Amino acid sequence: MQPDSPALPMIRRIAGKETTLFFASPIAYLFLASFAAITLFIFFWGEAFFARNIADVRPLFEWMPVLLIFLASTLTMRLWSEERRSGTLEHVLTQPVPLWHFVLGKFAGCLALLAIALLITLPLPFTVSMIGELDWGPVWAGYLATLLLGAAYLSIGLFVSARSDNQIVSLISSTALCGVFYLLGNSAITDLFGNQASEWLRLLGSGSRFDAITRGVIDLRDLYYYLSIIAVFLTLNTYVLEKERWATTATTPHHKNWRIATTLLLANALGANLWLGQIHSLRVDVTEGDQYSISPATEGYLRQLREPLLLRGYFSSKTHPLLAPLVPQLQDLMREYEIAGDGKVRVEFVDPLKEPELEQEANQKYGIQPVPFQVADRYQSAIVSSYFNVLVQYGDEYQILGFRDLIEIQARSETDLDVQLRNPEHDLTRAIKKVLNAYQSGGNLFDTVKGKLVFTAYVSADDTLPETLVAFRQTVQKELEEMRKQAGGRLEANFIDPNADGGKVARQIGEDYGFQPMAASLFSDQSFYFYLTLANNDQIVQIPLDDMSEDSFKRNLEAGIKRFASGFTKTVALVTPPSNPAYAQYGMGGPQYSELENFLGAELNVQPEDLSDGSVSGDADILLLLSPKDLDEKQVFAVDQFLMQGGTVVAATSPFSATLTPRNISLEKQDSGLSDWLAHHGLSMTDKLVMDAQNSAFPLPVTRNVAGFVLQELRMLDYPYFIDVRGDGLNRDNPITVDLPQLTLAWASPIVIDKDKQGQRTITELLHSSEQSWLSASTDVMPRIDASGQTHYTPEGDTGSQPLGVISAGRFDSYFAGKPSPLLQQEKSSANEDNEQAEQEPTVSGVIEHSPESARIILFSSNDFLSDQVIRVAGSTSRSEYLNTLQLVANTIDWSLEDAGLLSIRARGHFNRTLPPMEHGAQLFWEYLNYALAALALGLVALLQRQRHKMRQRDYLRLLAE
């Protein structure tokens, strides 16, 4: 070795020598085989990958911080200890080469072996990506975190090995020191302290930093933390070896310089961690869809702020151990809101138990109450009342988010729960949107209207109007005058008689909007016009008449104005079948939709709609029909005219409806009353059920008798009636379904599209079954169980994909075009009946014969997939809260209302990337394939090492010959 040798070749030579020594003995192969075997065992057995049912590789990395402690200690225990024991250390110390070359060379050799071990596990994420939809961002982040954490442990092991000549002592000491770094951030230690102290310990812990990276957020602070550990212990390693060179214990200038340089390097490496700890913006979110980053949608809502927004986190220092790790994640996200708010967002974190005044305010003003949790440490178990709440306040409006609003739980077993923040950005932004809307709705309606509104009343002359409408016209004019004063020049009002100028306007509005003459009775000769519209540029909405009272018109007009304004909560008119609560406990009370109502109610006004009067409420922005049943002509007319006014009708309906009881599943024909109406618009459903080989499991309770004990367990059965829609079955070009990972449609029927009746309308398929699906006319839907407790279904007839959800958009012709309005009462023949009718208020009705281009029908061909029972069944299958179908409806409504704010961040849940349904044999195939690939990779490493050894031998023999 020459003193002027460059550093890099020297380090490479030493690393190559160490690698060769590793592979010259069984140590390297034992290390690689042990690493592969343990990781695969943990992945498939310890973490039960297939039972967990999530398409990710988190189980691969969850045990890495512990596993690497032992593997890194085993790998490094002999490197310097053996040199010291065998006496070769003196040879190293007497070389005219800087000692840090040897330190880095040995470190690089160990790191190369660790990198090879990680490469052997690469087939695992590739096979998972072949099974389901894998987010590769956290995968690459996990490998980066593993490499850095392993490098940190290797540097610690090398330092410890340099201090001892006994390999066993090095192994134990290295394991203990690495264990200390891991335990500092572990919940076993942090649970003993408050939030602030716990946060500092997590910053020091190697495992907690590792978790932050593997979730998909690469933070410069976390990367530098590992690099600083590596720098510190490699420096200490070099210093310890350098001291061995010193011939005297007396302090010399050379010794003093070494101590000063080492101290300064260590102080700078550690001090930079404190400086970087204050920087929160140097991070990269590598998850698909930037799950942990502030989205443009959130930034858009923050830009609407005119007053300061307060985000205050109420977090107790002592809380449930499963919630404690979520506190720093939520705090980091809230700080991101403060940064994005550009001075308009104030973030505070308080512990109410330590600040009595704030606790009293939280209890009395905001209704925030502590929740009792059972916590335990090594000395005792106790019940403590703790807070885990977030206050979102804007002006005098506020929203409270509790832990139930923020977390998502997946039950691996009855005692093993995985708790994560469900979708914190969506939850916080949704609350911000709600308080922002509430605050704005209390002000001037016109403050958020862009452009000028034009109110046009197409009203006939008074002498042709019924007396009721003459009075109502005066009411309209009065309210409009007051509204114009409030509008400040942003509202224009026009009254036009359609019959003037030979009926020119009447013909025009009939052609443009489908407005036809109205009548007060079926056989009346008196016809007239009374249509009220509100327009902004090319968009137009109709103001319904309802009961023609002053309050009704004012309410409907305000609802119309809000459709052109931003920042107001939209209203969903919800139609559900009548139910009988008395029979609900027996499964016969009719479907319930409380899960959907609660989910939509967090962002929208959801109001039950009664169609029996033949109209839809004027403040309804969208009409949602869930399992409609026996709608009569007047109710169908209400749906039809809502569509003709340019509205969107969302219907979940099919020819069949299921009833689930604890012992039985029955399927019956159900007449929605909409079949002819849908067929008129080119949409129909056949009286058959779609069955799909790609399906979600059905959990069937099975009772077993074991040694006299009666046990009940859930057995997941293959059930083709639960269609699993994923991948190509979801339209990836439409915002409604683009971010949805999977949907379960229960007892669905195929949609038939009549293109001749569609005309110029646009048809968009949202959902369809797989190519392995078939049709069945049987209504026997009970799972068929054989003697082995399994279900076996074989396709009947032709197989092929079937449409299950479609959008029909454009101009529709009314089902009632050319017919009298069903709302007009038939004149009665008897004089008494005529007198009675004369005393009643006359019914005023007409038929809008066609819709504007903005009208839409969105059809999902299942009556039951949104019911509470089916959602609970789907949740029990995935062992977590099932939200995908609820997100589908929420996305549909947002897209229909052109409110895409929360649409882009709604589907960011942790547990929504489920695995596709697989038979037990298929699961075994993928598991054993990974074992085989790992063995093949080990064999490939051995082969390459053998070839490398032969090449070195040939080079050596050639040198001897020369």
Side-chain angles (χ1 to χ4, degrees):
M1 298 181 184
Q2 300 300 322
D4 58 346
S5 299
L8 190 58
M10 181 64 65
I11 294 171
R12 188 187 302 119
R13 187 180 304 173
I14 296 170
K17 173 202 166 190
E18 293 297 336
T19 306
T20 301
L21 289 175
F22 277 131
F23 283 101
S25 67
I27 292 177
Y29 298 103
L30 286 174
F31 172 80
L32 296 176
S34 300
F35 187 87
I38 294 173
T39 53
L40 289 174
F41 175 81
I42 290 174
F43 189 83
F44 287 109
W45 290 81
E47 296 294 332
F49 169 70
F50 289 108
R52 184 170 171 267
N53 197 36
I54 306 298
D56 65 8
V57 291
R58 279 184 59 201
L60 175 66
F61 301 113
E62 281 188 347
W63 288 90
M64 282 293 180
V66 176
L67 177 61
L68 288 175
I69 290 175
F70 297 99
L71 294 180
S73 300
T74 304
L75 200 59
T76 57
M77 67 180 184
R78 56 170 288 279
L79 291 181
W80 289 116
S81 298
E82 184 63 20
E83 297 266 16
R84 188 182 296 277
R85 189 193 63 79
S86 63
T88 56
L89 181 61
E90 286 80 0
H91 175 71
V92 172
L93 297 177
T94 56
Q95 292 296 311
V97 175
L99 287 176
W100 63 269
H101 289 188
F102 291 95
V103 173
L104 287 181
K106 288 180 178 290
F107 173 74
C110 294
L111 194 60
L113 196 61
L114 176 61
I116 294 172
L118 291 177
L119 286 174
I120 291 175
T121 66
L122 266 182
L124 194 56
F126 278 102
T127 54
V128 173
S129 69
M130 295 171 65
I131 298 173
E133 296 183 21
L134 178 65
D135 184 354
W136 278 98
V139 176
W140 300 127
Y143 275 106
L144 174 64
T146 303
L147 194 62
L148 289 173
L149 179 61
Y153 286 160
L154 290 173
S155 66
I156 294 173
L158 282 170
F159 165 70
V160 172
S161 179
R163 301 283 295 173
S164 173
D165 61 357
N166 189 302
Q167 295 185 27
I168 302 301
V169 172
S170 296
L171 172 65
I172 296 173
S173 301
S174 177
T175 301
L177 185 55
C178 292
V180 168
F181 274 92
Y182 170 72
L183 289 174
L184 282 176
N186 190 266
S187 59
I189 302 297
T190 58
D191 288 348
L192 303 177
F193 301 91
N195 279 338
Q196 191 61 39
S198 297
E199 180 63 16
W200 280 105
L201 289 173
R202 289 190 187 95
L203 293 177
L204 296 174
S206 59
S208 53
R209 297 273 194 170
F210 182 87
D211 292 339
I213 300 177
T214 55
R215 69 191 177 102
V217 178
I218 300 178
D219 195 316
L220 178 64
R221 296 172 297 176
D222 297 329
L223 299 183
Y224 182 79
Y225 166 80
Y226 289 117
L227 295 176
S228 66
I229 290 179
I230 296 169
V232 164
F233 283 97
L234 291 182
T235 301
L236 290 174
N237 190 351
T238 305
Y239 178 71
V240 166
L241 294 176
E242 180 66 25
K243 286 183 66 176
E244 299 277 347
R245 281 180 164 181
W246 297 348
T248 176
T249 56
T251 301
T252 66
H254 175 71
H255 300 168
K256 187 175 180 181
N257 291 337
W258 259 97
R259 290 192 180 103
I260 293 174
T262 302
T263 302
L264 288 175
L265 197 153
L266 296 179
N268 280 279
L270 296 175
N273 278 289
L274 300 176
W275 177 72
L276 287 173
Q278 311 303 316
I279 303 175
H280 300 278
S281 57
L282 298 178
R283 41 167 262 171
V284 178
D285 187 346
V286 297
T287 59
E288 187 176 327
D290 296 332
Q291 185 169 333
Y292 297 100
S293 300
I294 296 296
S295 67
T298 297
E299 293 175 349
Y301 288 118
L302 296 180
R303 283 194 295 269
Q304 296 181 30
L305 298 176
R306 296 295 178 266
E307 303 288 337
L309 174 75
L310 172 65
L311 295 180
R312 179 183 292 164
Y314 294 91
F315 304 117
S316 297
S317 58
K318 201 77 170 178
T319 188
H320 194 282
L322 293 177
L323 295 179
L326 307 183
V327 173
Q329 296 180 29
L330 196 53
Q331 289 177 334
D332 285 346
L333 182 64
M334 293 170 68
R335 292 189 185 101
E336 293 288 331
Y337 276 76
E338 187 172 31
I339 296 170
D342 194 22
K344 297 177 183 177
V345 179
R346 188 172 86 254
V347 173
E348 299 176 355
F349 303 112
V350 299
D351 183 351
L353 300 179
K354 295 180 179 179
E355 302 184 51
E357 293 183 0
L358 289 177
E359 182 178 25
Q360 183 178 7
E361 179 191 47
N363 297 156
Q364 297 179 359
K365 183 176 180 179
Y366 303 118
I368 299 175
Q369 299 295 330
V371 178
F373 291 117
Q374 182 172 355
V375 297
D377 54 32
R378 59 179 298 188
Y379 300 110
Q380 64 178 351
S381 176
I383 302 293
V384 298
S385 294
S386 72
Y387 291 86
F388 191 98
N389 305 86
V390 176
L391 166 69
V392 181
Q393 185 174 22
Y394 184 64
D396 56 353
E397 301 291 338
Y398 65 87
Q399 286 285 307
I400 304 297
L401 298 174
F403 75 96
R404 292 183 179 87
D405 303 310
L406 295 165
I407 67 171
E408 185 176 13
I409 302 173
Q410 195 211 18
R412 300 176 184 173
S413 66
E414 292 184 0
T415 57
D416 187 8
L417 302 178
D418 190 4
V419 179
Q420 296 286 337
L421 289 174
R422 178 176 60 200
N423 191 340
E425 186 192 356
H426 176 269
D427 296 326
L428 286 172
T429 302
R430 181 185 64 189
I432 291 173
K433 177 184 175 184
K434 199 160 188 177
V435 297
L436 185 61
N437 290 349
Y439 183 81
Q440 290 178 346
S441 64
N444 191 321
L445 273 176
F446 294 90
D447 285 345
T448 56
V449 174
K450 295 181 180 180
K452 189 174 184 179
L453 296 180
V454 178
F455 178 93
T456 304
Y458 297 100
V459 179
S460 299
D462 287 353
D463 57 354
T464 62
L465 294 176
E467 293 183 4
T468 306
L469 288 181
V470 173
F472 183 57
R473 173 175 179 159
Q474 296 175 356
T475 301
V476 170
Q477 291 174 326
K478 175 185 174 184
E479 289 296 329
L480 278 174
E481 189 60 33
E482 295 181 3
M483 194 68 73
R484 288 177 61 188
K485 294 177 181 178
Q486 180 183 345
R490 285 169 289 183
L491 176 64
E492 176 184 336
N494 301 312
F495 282 78
I496 300 175
D497 182 357
N499 295 317
D501 296 331
K504 180 180 178 181
V505 175
R507 290 190 295 272
Q508 187 67 39
I509 61 176
E511 180 180 342
D512 293 345
Y513 311 127
F515 293 166
Q516 297 300 314
M518 294 180 173
S521 65
L522 191 61
F523 299 107
S524 173
D525 294 331
Q526 184 182 15
S527 64
F528 51 86
Y529 288 87
F530 205 107
Y531 292 98
L532 310 178
T533 66
L534 194 64
N536 185 311
N537 296 325
D538 295 332
Q539 185 180 359
I540 184 171
V541 298
Q542 185 181 353
I543 309 300
L545 301 182
D546 285 358
D547 59 4
M548 292 179 288
S549 66
E550 182 177 344
D551 291 339
S552 173
F553 171 73
K554 185 176 181 180
R555 181 178 64 251
N556 292 336
L557 180 59
E558 290 180 350
I561 295 172
K562 289 178 181 179
R563 295 194 190 186
F564 299 101
S566 60
F568 290 99
T569 304
K570 306 299 183 180
T571 298
V572 178
L574 179 63
V575 178
T576 58
S579 61
N580 190 339
Y583 295 97
Q585 59 180 324
Y586 305 108
M588 298 183 297
Q592 303 294 317
Y593 299 95
S594 58
E595 297 277 353
L596 178 63
E597 291 183 48
N598 293 335
F599 190 85
L600 298 180
E603 304 169 16
L604 303 158
N605 291 327
V606 181
Q607 62 182 28
E609 183 65 37
D610 182 9
L611 301 177
S612 60
D613 61 351
S615 64
V616 178
S617 299
D619 56 351
D621 295 289
I622 196 167
L623 180 62
L624 179 58
L625 306 172
L626 302 181
S627 185
K629 184 177 182 180
D630 298 328
L631 299 184
D632 60 25
E633 190 179 32
K634 289 175 64 176
Q635 292 171 311
V636 175
F637 181 74
V639 176
D640 180 87
Q641 293 298 285
F642 183 81
L643 181 70
M644 294 306 112
Q645 293 170 11
T648 297
V649 177
V650 182
T653 180
S654 79
F656 302 96
S657 181
T659 301
L660 280 75
T661 65
R663 297 182 179 274
N664 187 41
I665 305 173
S666 61
L667 195 73
E668 297 178 350
K669 292 289 293 292
Q670 176 168 305
D671 182 12
S672 65
L674 287 174
S675 301
D676 294 340
W677 181 78
L678 287 171
H680 172 77
H681 296 303
L683 300 172
S684 60
M685 287 164 284
T686 59
D687 290 347
K688 292 184 178 181
L689 292 170
V690 178
M691 302 178 69
D692 200 333
Q694 178 179 293
N695 58 77
S696 300
F698 186 86
L700 188 70
V702 177
T703 302
R704 295 191 298 125
N705 191 310
V706 180
F709 292 95
V710 178
L711 304 176
Q712 189 175 62
E713 62 183 13
L714 283 179
R715 180 172 296 173
M716 299 300 171
L717 301 176
D718 183 47
Y719 194 61
Y721 297 101
F722 274 21
I723 305 164
D724 185 85
V725 183
R726 66 172 68 227
D728 293 338
L730 296 166
N731 187 333
R732 295 306 183 189
D733 296 324
N734 191 282
I736 295 176
T737 49
V738 64
D739 290 322
L740 291 177
Q742 177 270 347
L743 291 170
T744 298
L745 259 67
W747 305 293
S749 297
I751 298 174
V752 179
I753 301 170
D754 188 339
K755 294 184 179 180
D756 293 335
K757 292 185 178 180
Q758 289 296 330
Q760 298 299 316
R761 292 195 295 273
T762 302
I763 291 292
T764 304
E765 280 194 26
L766 290 177
L767 316 171
H768 59 80
S769 61
S770 75
E771 294 292 341
Q772 292 77 42
S773 61
W774 69 96
L775 301 180
S776 172
S778 173
T779 57
D780 180 13
V781 295
M782 275 294 293
R784 307 169 190 169
I785 306 176
D786 59 18
S788 63
Q790 300 297 320
T791 58
H792 297 281
Y793 291 89
T794 56
E796 304 169 3
D798 297 333
T799 60
S801 177
Q802 299 292 338
L804 304 173
V806 299
I807 301 173
S808 180
R811 174 168 165 161
F812 294 82
D813 294 323
S814 172
Y815 178 69
F816 295 90
K819 304 176 185 176
S821 169
L823 305 187
L824 298 178
Q825 298 179 357
Q826 185 174 358
E827 294 182 350
K828 301 178 182 179
S829 56
S830 68
N832 292 336
E833 291 175 341
D834 288 340
N835 291 335
E836 290 177 5
Q837 184 179 358
E839 294 174 0
Q840 297 176 355
E841 291 289 341
T843 299
V844 176
S845 179
V847 176
I848 305 175
E849 295 199 338
H850 67 77
S851 73
E853 296 291 333
S854 61
R856 301 184 187 98
I857 296 177
I858 304 177
L859 176 63
F860 302 109
S861 61
S862 171
N863 273 319
D864 305 286
F865 81 109
L866 294 169
S867 69
D868 291 347
Q869 273 187 307
V870 173
I871 288 174
R872 283 193 290 268
V873 168
S876 64
T877 302
S878 61
R879 298 184 180 181
S880 64
E881 188 178 14
Y882 185 74
L883 301 174
N884 292 351
T885 50
L886 306 183
Q887 289 176 350
L888 170 70
V889 178
N891 290 354
T892 301
I893 293 173
D894 284 348
W895 177 80
S896 302
L897 299 175
E898 299 180 354
D899 184 5
L902 296 176
L903 186 62
S904 59
I905 55 176
R906 181 177 286 116
R908 289 187 177 184
H910 286 273
F911 303 129
N912 56 12
R913 291 178 180 265
T914 56
L915 296 173
M918 284 185 287
E919 297 285 348
H920 181 62
Q923 295 175 349
L924 289 177
F925 167 78
W926 289 109
E927 181 178 348
Y928 292 145
L929 176 63
N930 277 281
Y931 297 151
L933 290 174
L936 183 64
L938 279 170
L940 183 62
V941 170
L943 180 63
L944 292 175
Q945 182 59 30
R946 183 179 178 85
Q947 292 297 323
R948 180 171 174 265
H949 178 67
K950 288 182 177 181
M951 290 176 61
R952 289 171 63 88
Q953 267 191 330
R954 285 196 300 267
D955 292 343
Y956 182 69
L957 291 174
R958 189 178 66 253
L959 287 173
L960 287 178
E962 291 176 354

